[in-house]
Amino acid sequence: AKKRQQELERWQKKVFGRRKKTQAAKETSPDGPSAASTDTQAESPSSRPGSVTQATVFVDKDALPTAIDQWIKDQMLPASEAPVIIIGLHACGSLTPAVLRSFVSLYHTQKGEQPSPRAWRCAGLALVGCCYNRIRGIEKDFPMSSFVASHPNRPLLQIESLHLHLAAQVTHNWLSDWPAFELGLRKIVFRALFERLFSEHGGKMYQAGLQVGRFNDAAYESWDTYLARAAERLDGITYDDLKKREADANAKASMEGYDNAKLRRRLEVLHVLRCILGPVVESLLLVDRWMYLREEVDVQVDVRMVNMFDQST
């Protein structure tokens, strides 16, 4: 560990020279602010050039500035409003909205008539949002802007958890790794077909306390393999029971004019079409966040959305 730390310090000195590099604490935001201020752990700080101070913080609007206050204090920096840039390279799920709210709160405090009580000022923010499906409580994190909240078409701009899963899809990568795409599609279809076997619960197994959880890739080698693995996790339901349910479901489908293979194909097409709409959902989330910042800060503040990555590569 000591050797690794020495290598890291040499690399930082080479890249950054005598400049200090700071790392903002990163953790997913909980549903409520009360949990944010209860668990903060920090390693012994170092004032050496290029050092990194680690901290674990549940981030919300107030917890992030408090963590930076402590970092400034531990570094024993002069109380001269040291400029701090908040950077989130993997601002997963609700972490992005939490940091945006924190930034806006800091901005309003700094531009107020009263001097800021802090020994530092937030000089900038750079966030790379991701993992939209991990947003906790979409009703709190969308919409953030008045623009979307008061839009004439607001009823059409409703986002639910299923939409968030679509926003996280990277359809550009499908052709570059076709086997992985086929496997992912098979997982979706198998789970949908499996829930069809429990139509007496409206296809919603969780409401009946029937959950099989996730399986490794080998479980999806074939439909029968999947059924066998699922039976192992269902109390009181055997593989033969599942096969009987399948026969009944197929008989019902046949009466309605389609067979199991046709249904499977329809599910595949439906899932692909839904995923293709994922960028539309992501764009709505990003525009909402961009408009939120534009509404909250002065026009002199440069607010941009930058396409940092080519997802096809």
Side-chain angles (χ1 to χ4, degrees):
K2 183 177 180 180
K3 182 179 179 181
R4 185 177 179 182
Q5 178 65 26
Q6 291 173 344
E7 292 176 351
L8 177 61
E9 291 173 358
R10 284 197 298 269
W11 178 83
Q12 291 170 343
K13 185 175 181 180
K14 178 180 178 181
V15 175
F16 298 101
R18 301 296 293 181
R19 293 178 299 170
K20 285 190 175 294
K21 180 176 181 290
T22 66
Q23 176 177 321
K26 170 181 173 294
E27 184 55 74
T28 54
S29 174
D31 294 333
S34 59
S37 59
T38 59
D39 182 17
T40 303
Q41 300 173 343
E43 294 181 357
S44 299
S46 170
S47 60
R48 293 171 297 178
S51 64
V52 176
T53 301
Q54 303 287 350
T56 300
V57 180
F58 284 128
V59 175
D60 71 353
K61 180 174 68 70
D62 300 316
L64 181 57
T66 300
I68 299 176
D69 287 340
Q70 186 62 47
W71 177 78
I72 293 289
K73 179 180 178 181
D74 292 343
Q75 295 296 315
M76 294 181 293
L77 296 178
S80 58
E81 291 196 343
V84 172
I85 297 178
I86 300 174
I87 300 175
L89 299 180
H90 192 272
C92 185
S94 291
L95 183 59
T96 291
V99 175
L100 290 177
R101 292 188 180 97
S102 183
F103 174 81
V104 167
S105 177
L106 287 168
Y107 175 81
H108 287 303
T109 300
Q110 291 171 185
K111 67 171 291 191
E113 296 181 359
Q114 299 297 326
S116 173
R118 293 190 158 87
W120 57 278
R121 61 182 176 85
C122 186
L125 170 70
L127 278 180
V128 181
C130 61
C131 307
Y132 306 108
N133 55 302
R134 294 183 177 273
I135 290 178
R136 300 181 179 182
I138 185 61
E139 66 283 349
K140 182 182 70 173
D141 292 334
F142 177 87
M144 298 185 68
S145 68
S146 298
F147 172 78
V148 174
S150 60
H151 197 278
N153 294 324
R154 176 68 182 92
L156 301 178
L157 303 179
Q158 188 67 27
I159 289 183
E160 300 179 0
S161 59
L162 290 177
H163 300 124
L164 298 177
H165 282 272
L166 296 182
Q169 296 292 326
V170 186
T171 56
H172 300 82
N173 291 345
W174 287 355
L175 293 179
S176 62
D177 193 350
W178 189 255
F181 164 68
E182 284 188 315
L183 176 61
L185 186 58
R186 196 181 312 135
K187 290 179 178 181
I188 294 292
V189 172
F190 278 12
R191 286 196 290 264
L193 290 175
F194 186 71
E195 292 211 2
R196 181 181 64 126
L197 306 184
F198 296 86
S199 58
E200 69 270 27
H201 301 299
K204 298 179 179 180
M205 296 176 56
Y206 66 90
Q207 291 185 353
L210 301 172
Q211 296 188 26
V212 296
R214 295 185 177 183
F215 298 111
N216 57 28
D217 293 349
Y220 298 91
E221 180 179 350
S222 69
W223 172 244
D224 284 340
T225 302
Y226 181 80
L227 287 183
R229 292 289 302 276
E232 295 173 356
R233 297 187 179 180
L234 294 175
D235 294 335
I237 299 179
T238 66
Y239 171 79
D240 291 337
D241 293 333
L242 293 178
K243 292 298 290 184
K244 184 179 183 304
R245 285 175 175 267
E246 180 188 11
D248 294 340
N250 289 342
K252 181 180 179 181
S254 180
M255 293 176 59
E256 296 174 356
Y258 57 89
D259 56 20
N260 197 50
K262 187 176 181 179
L263 176 59
R264 176 172 175 173
R265 184 59 179 167
R266 286 185 174 183
L267 287 170
E268 291 173 344
V269 173
L270 175 62
H271 179 66
V272 170
L273 291 176
R274 290 175 71 248
C275 289
I276 290 175
L277 294 175
V280 177
V281 181
E282 181 181 24
S283 296
L284 177 58
L285 289 167
L286 295 178
V287 168
D288 176 55
R289 294 170 179 181
W290 182 78
M291 287 300 301
Y292 169 72
L293 288 177
R294 287 261 32 99
E295 294 168 355
E296 294 291 340
V297 302
D298 294 333
V299 294
Q300 295 88 349
V301 179
D302 188 13
V303 181
R304 300 183 187 181
M305 281 195 296
V306 180
N307 187 15
M308 299 183 64
F309 306 104
D310 182 357
Q311 293 184 334
S312 62
T313 57

